[in-house]
Amino acid sequence: MAMKRVLIVNKTFPAAGLELLKNKVQYTVVPHLDFEPESLPTIKKELKNVDAIIWNTKHRLTGPLLDLAGPNLKCVSTMSSGTDHIDIHEFEKRQLPLGSTPQVLDDAVADITVGLVIAAARRFKEGVAELESGDCKFGVQWRLGQDIAGSTVGIVGFGGIGQAVLRRLRGFDVKRFLYSGRTDKPEAKALGAERLPIEELLRLSDYVILCCPLTEETRHLINDKTLGIMKQNAVIVNIARGDVIDQDALYRALKENRIFAAGLDVVTPEPIAKDHPLVQLPNCYILPHVGSATIETRNAMARISARNVLLALEGKPMLNPVI
């Protein structure tokens, strides 16, 4: 009996995932990175007649691409926590199993989040730039930043990542933790977090940390109006998705010093151009979307996505089903 065919759509898929697939399926790895012009055309070519797909790419997975795979397609797994790059409606319409890799990346992303909080609040970008240019102006008023101790931290989206961020920040003697979301989280009481409407959270918080999924409801959640609610000393950190923030509005708020600073691991587009206005701001510290980029985390994500498709091909529930 012929082996099932699995397509992996980006060449950076870790060997830890390939090892699980070996001798169980016939897999093909697209030999390109997302930004290479050959990437999407090659994916389209290789999609035909596959039984499963590991969608480890930022390209959007749409109905027409699923059509290219044809009737043999049994399942898809992302190698990501978020699914905003997937046309979920198409999967629901086709009753096609879809898996993802949440939770396994919570700790790595939470670590990066704390790093961004510190870097933005303590003006790392400006200090390093002056050091590298030989223009340091030492003195008691040089490059003063914001304290975390005694502050109010508001977390927008209180799932696994948001909770992991709070646990780390507790060691910084934060005075008050707030969170916003659709429902009360049962973990909140033990963690000492208080749920408030988003407007109230923004008004009270010294640090605003965005951990929410990107949906039509959260797209441009941070905009001219909501930035206007925030404190002038506020630091905003985004590890969710770039489009949760209206970047033009953020640029204006930072440029005019209406908020203190921003730390971003996600932007739109990615990668962001080196001459983008946000990149030029001294009070905007940007990382190239490295939240889950540790060896162990990426290996674990690869293993989960591989197991998702192997289980689905056997007619069993995925480890982390979305649909």
Side-chain angles (χ1 to χ4, degrees):
M1 185 176 179
M3 280 189 173
K4 301 292 187 182
R5 294 185 60 220
V6 176
L7 179 64
I8 301 165
V9 300
N10 187 302
K11 71 177 183 180
T12 59
F13 191 68
L18 296 178
E19 191 63 31
L20 289 179
L21 298 174
K22 191 185 299 183
N23 301 323
K24 298 183 181 71
V25 296
Q26 177 188 340
Y27 63 80
T28 300
V29 180
V30 171
H32 300 296
L33 300 169
D34 286 354
F35 59 84
E36 295 175 343
E38 306 92 339
S39 173
L40 195 54
T42 305
I43 290 171
K44 290 179 178 179
K45 178 183 175 183
E46 296 290 348
L47 273 173
K48 296 175 182 177
N49 299 315
V50 299
D51 297 287
I53 305 168
I54 294 179
W55 197 257
N56 60 326
T57 177
K58 293 178 182 177
H59 294 309
R60 184 162 176 77
L61 182 52
T62 61
L65 289 175
L66 293 173
D67 288 338
L68 289 176
N72 284 349
L73 185 61
K74 306 294 189 301
C75 60
V76 176
S77 179
T78 71
M79 197 181 120
S80 63
S81 175
T83 55
D84 50 285
H85 60 314
I86 306 292
D87 189 336
I88 298 294
H89 175 71
E90 285 292 333
F91 279 81
E92 293 171 337
K93 183 173 70 176
R94 298 162 192 252
Q95 296 184 314
L96 184 64
L98 172 66
S100 64
T101 63
Q103 300 173 327
V104 68
L105 47 72
D106 289 358
D107 286 334
V109 176
D111 290 348
I112 281 287
T113 306
V114 174
L116 283 169
V117 167
I118 297 170
R122 299 300 297 272
R123 301 171 69 177
F124 279 17
K125 182 177 181 179
E126 297 164 90
V128 169
E130 291 192 8
L131 179 70
E132 292 178 345
S133 68
D135 193 33
C136 288
K137 300 178 178 65
F138 292 106
V140 294
Q141 296 297 322
W142 183 70
R143 293 294 168 224
L144 299 184
Q146 302 289 342
D147 284 312
I148 301 174
S151 69
T152 295
V153 173
I155 302 174
V156 181
F158 203 53
I161 294 173
Q163 292 170 31
V165 170
L166 187 154
R167 288 195 296 271
R168 283 154 174 75
L169 287 177
R170 271 197 303 207
F172 287 80
D173 295 327
V174 171
K175 179 181 178 182
R176 187 181 185 191
F177 286 106
L178 311 174
Y179 76 98
S180 69
R182 292 182 177 179
T183 59
D184 288 329
K185 292 289 185 178
E187 302 88 350
K189 185 175 181 180
L191 290 171
E194 177 186 355
R195 182 176 173 229
L196 289 178
I198 182 67
E199 293 83 2
E200 191 73 357
L201 179 149
L202 294 175
R203 187 178 67 81
L204 294 174
S205 296
D206 301 295
Y207 295 89
V208 175
I209 300 174
L210 304 175
C211 302
C212 53
L214 176 62
T215 65
E216 286 309 308
E217 183 181 353
T218 62
R219 188 179 301 276
H220 287 188
L221 177 69
I222 302 302
N223 52 50
D224 280 311
K225 180 181 177 181
T226 50
L227 284 161
I229 299 172
M230 294 170 60
K231 294 180 176 182
Q232 190 172 5
N233 71 303
V235 174
I236 188 164
V237 169
N238 188 12
I239 53 84
R241 288 293 184 268
D243 279 337
V244 173
I245 295 179
D246 178 340
Q247 292 180 171
D248 291 338
L250 178 63
Y251 174 80
R252 290 188 290 271
L254 290 169
K255 180 74 173 176
E256 297 164 11
N257 294 312
R258 287 187 276 118
I259 63 172
F260 186 78
L264 312 175
D265 187 42
V266 289
V267 289
T268 302
E270 291 178 347
I272 194 167
K274 65 180 181 180
D275 58 352
H276 189 284
L278 282 176
V279 176
Q280 307 306 311
L281 287 174
N283 55 345
C284 189
Y285 188 89
I286 304 177
L287 297 176
H289 203 158
V290 293
S292 64
T294 69
I295 295 168
E296 287 303 319
T297 299
R298 291 287 170 84
N299 283 345
M301 293 168 73
R303 292 188 193 101
I304 291 170
S305 58
R307 291 185 66 190
N308 276 343
V309 298
L310 289 173
L311 287 166
L313 288 173
E314 294 174 5
K316 298 175 182 177
M318 292 184 176
L319 286 180
N320 290 296
V322 177
I323 295 173

